[in-house]
Amino acid sequence: MQIGIVGKPNVGKSTFFTSATNAQAEIANYPFTTIDANRGVMYIRKPCPCKEFKVTCTPHNSECRQGTRFIPIEAIDVAGLVPDAHKGKGLGNKFLDDLRQAHVLIQIIDASGSTDAEGNPCKPGSYDPLKDIAFLETEITYWLHGIIQKNWDRISRQTEQENKKIEHTLSDQLTGLGINDDHILHAVKELSLDKSKPSQWTEDQLLKLVDIIRKKSKPMIIAFNKSDKASDEMMKKMNDIAEYTVIPTSAESELALTNAAEKQILDYIPGTNTFTLTNPAALSDKQHKALDYINTHVLQKYGSTGIQQCIDEAVNMLDLIVVYPVEDDTHLTDKEGRILPDAHLIPRGSTAKDLAYKVHTDLGDHFIRAIDARTHRVIGADHVLKDGDVISIIADA
Ligand SMILES: Nc1nc2c(ncn2[C@@H]2O[C@H](COP(=O)(O)OP(=O)(O)OP(=O)(O)O)[C@@H](O)[C@H]2O)c(=O)[nH]1
Ligand SMILES: [Mg+2]
């Protein structure tokens, strides 16, 4: 599972990425600063069970900050996309291939309207950021269409001749793209296409099919970025976007706050609307001013910088739950005595046995039963887990 950070050049993708990961990406006010994709780990927030169980946890694969668990999920920051990239414009389609593994996209938009269609700086407010949404959808659709089209004649004919299911043959072609049979079947149904005659689908139908597959397999949310310098009038445009969840963001503010927190200038937990200065007297006037600006124009105005909300919301779209495997259901510890060590993100609907496999293949292979640490009741292999479950798995040695 991966979150893809996408958008036209110069909108703040790498700023967003750097502020939310421990990786460093180059940031500059000109288009195509990023050429090779940056990969890192972001964190989603969930209430940590330590509060409810009244224990002090010792996280291993994640972090607990004042009762909130921050759970890792991979993310990728790619090069900027310009209109007609699928025809080779800008950096062309190369980097779209970097998005193969992305299961959900966060599109960064320059809400201040100070970058033109190609990402060149322009007078703030002179470019309508809403224009960027449609073109990005189109480019991703054309990219997917290109991949499918390559072998379409052969696949569609073969499917008919061998009496196969089109969703199978097509998803085989698309392995590694996060596209499965269900995505394809859903699109075929929505367009009422004749499943038994794919070779007769028109070019236009195929393009529409791909567009629906894209929406299903790579859902997207919008970050209305540079909110700190966008006029209220520009920010109101958010309300005109009906199809997507839109979150106002200031990646630059988040980056400033996380950098300052790292240097122990202040305490700040991503996603919140406050920070506390560690030693106010040590800061210069300029630093005070910059932080006051962030406080007034971002944190107080929008409730947060929006970065953490975007990550949480994106992962929500993936319909994952978090589960805490432990060895000892009384002390909530693992072999090494760590309390509530790991938090695992798994698809909703996963069973106790699925979790066992996620922890270790051996644990899955030798699964006997599991225990719900809240009730101390035994649960079977097929028991469907809930968000926040703490589970002990018992297996053959
Ligand atoms: N005011 C303001 N500026 C921002 C914000 N986020 C990014 N920027 C600035 O926008 C410019 C572009 O930022 P990048 O993160 O390099 O943008 P990008 O989308 O990765 O650009 P490419 O890699 O060229 O596609 C830089 O000058 C950033 O400092 C923000 O929230 N507010
Ligand atoms: Mg970049």
Side-chain angles (χ1 to χ4, degrees):
M1 291 280 169
Q2 210 176 57
I3 301 176
I5 310 297
V6 296
K8 77 177 181 191
N10 213 6
V11 288
K13 296 180 296 300
S14 298
T15 310
F16 185 111
F17 174 85
T18 308
S19 76
T21 61
N22 41 17
Q24 289 287 331
E26 204 182 330
I27 295 166
N29 189 19
Y30 49 79
F32 302 121
T33 305
T34 306
I35 294 175
D36 294 323
N38 299 298
R39 285 162 215 275
V41 170
M42 294 186 175
Y43 294 86
I44 67 146
R45 287 180 300 179
K46 289 279 180 175
C48 181
C50 67
K51 260 190 177 169
E52 177 195 338
F53 283 93
K54 299 196 173 59
V55 292
T56 305
C57 59
T58 29
H60 178 57
N61 82 337
S62 40
E63 240 186 88
C64 179
R65 301 176 76 170
Q66 298 175 10
T68 298
R69 193 58 84 103
F70 285 77
I71 304 155
I73 182 155
E74 269 180 51
I76 180 163
D77 161 41
V78 298
L81 189 62
V82 296
D84 285 339
H86 71 280
K87 294 181 186 157
K89 216 162 163 221
L91 295 180
N93 262 348
K94 177 201 96 60
F95 65 89
L96 273 172
D97 285 330
D98 292 328
L99 288 181
R100 283 175 167 269
Q101 288 297 322
H103 287 75
V104 61
L105 306 175
I106 301 177
Q107 181 181 5
I108 316 290
I109 281 189
D110 177 356
S112 71
S114 51
T115 36
D116 69 15
E118 262 88 44
N120 300 302
C122 64
K123 199 171 139 251
S126 66
Y127 182 83
D128 179 1
L130 298 195
K131 282 191 195 162
D132 291 342
I133 300 174
F135 104 80
L136 193 103
E137 293 170 337
T138 313
E139 291 303 327
I140 299 177
T141 296
Y142 273 118
W143 163 64
L144 281 175
H145 181 248
I147 296 171
I148 291 173
Q149 219 183 14
K150 257 185 223 154
N151 300 310
W152 180 248
D153 285 347
R154 186 175 54 75
I155 298 169
S156 55
R157 256 184 288 116
Q158 220 172 21
T159 307
E160 288 173 22
Q161 280 159 10
E162 295 172 20
N163 229 347
K164 287 186 173 163
K165 291 195 159 126
I166 186 65
E167 65 270 26
H168 288 341
T169 42
L170 201 49
S171 69
D172 274 355
Q173 279 289 307
L174 302 174
T175 40
L177 275 165
I179 295 171
N180 60 35
D181 289 20
D182 285 347
H183 297 135
I184 298 166
L185 208 53
H186 164 87
V188 171
K189 280 197 182 134
E190 197 165 315
L191 291 173
S192 312
L193 295 173
D194 183 352
K195 260 186 69 180
S196 62
K197 296 264 181 303
S199 69
Q200 288 173 20
W201 298 352
T202 64
E203 187 64 30
D204 187 46
Q205 284 174 323
L206 194 60
L207 197 60
K208 283 200 179 112
L209 184 88
V210 175
D211 199 48
I212 300 171
I213 293 174
R214 169 189 62 76
K215 277 190 200 144
K216 267 272 157 192
S217 64
K218 299 195 188 293
M220 187 161 88
I221 65 160
I222 310 272
F224 230 50
N225 195 37
K226 307 196 186 179
S227 62
D228 54 283
K229 70 169 191 183
S231 65
D232 289 345
E233 192 193 334
M234 291 300 261
M235 290 309 285
K236 276 200 198 115
K237 284 177 181 275
M238 252 178 69
N239 306 326
D240 298 337
I241 307 172
E243 208 184 326
Y244 292 103
T245 301
V246 189
I247 297 168
T249 62
S250 174
E252 198 163 71
S253 304
E254 179 73 1
L255 186 59
L257 291 174
T258 49
N259 279 344
E262 210 166 280
K263 290 186 193 136
Q264 293 172 355
I265 291 172
L266 48 81
D267 287 321
Y268 169 66
I269 297 182
T272 58
N273 68 351
T274 49
F275 56 82
T276 329
L277 297 179
T278 323
N279 181 7
L283 294 187
S284 67
D285 273 358
K286 205 174 150 200
Q287 283 172 314
H288 273 294
K289 266 199 187 133
L291 289 170
D292 281 347
Y293 188 91
I294 292 175
N295 191 31
T296 323
H297 290 84
V298 180
L299 297 180
Q300 298 316 314
K301 193 164 174 187
Y302 301 108
S304 76
T305 65
I307 305 306
Q308 187 60 52
Q309 278 71 8
C310 280
I311 302 168
D312 292 342
E313 191 55 42
V315 174
N316 255 344
M317 301 201 75
L318 293 174
D319 212 14
L320 301 174
I321 58 168
V322 59
V323 181
Y324 300 82
V326 293
E327 187 166 287
D328 178 330
D329 65 296
T330 306
H331 300 99
L332 313 179
T333 48
D334 65 2
K335 259 196 207 83
E336 277 143 71
R338 293 181 291 220
I339 301 169
L340 293 165
D342 292 334
H344 284 287
L345 286 169
I346 55 175
R348 191 179 299 282
S350 296
T351 62
K353 196 161 182 177
D354 294 333
L355 173 67
Y357 271 112
K358 167 98 186 181
V359 175
H360 203 283
T361 319
D362 271 356
L363 207 56
D365 284 344
H366 299 110
F367 182 96
I368 299 175
R369 61 181 181 275
I371 296 172
D372 181 331
R374 279 200 178 76
T375 59
H376 299 291
R377 284 215 185 105
V378 170
I379 56 179
D382 296 335
H383 178 92
V384 174
L385 301 176
K386 294 186 304 299
D387 193 27
D389 270 353
V390 181
I391 302 288
S392 160
I393 294 160
I394 296 153
D396 259 336

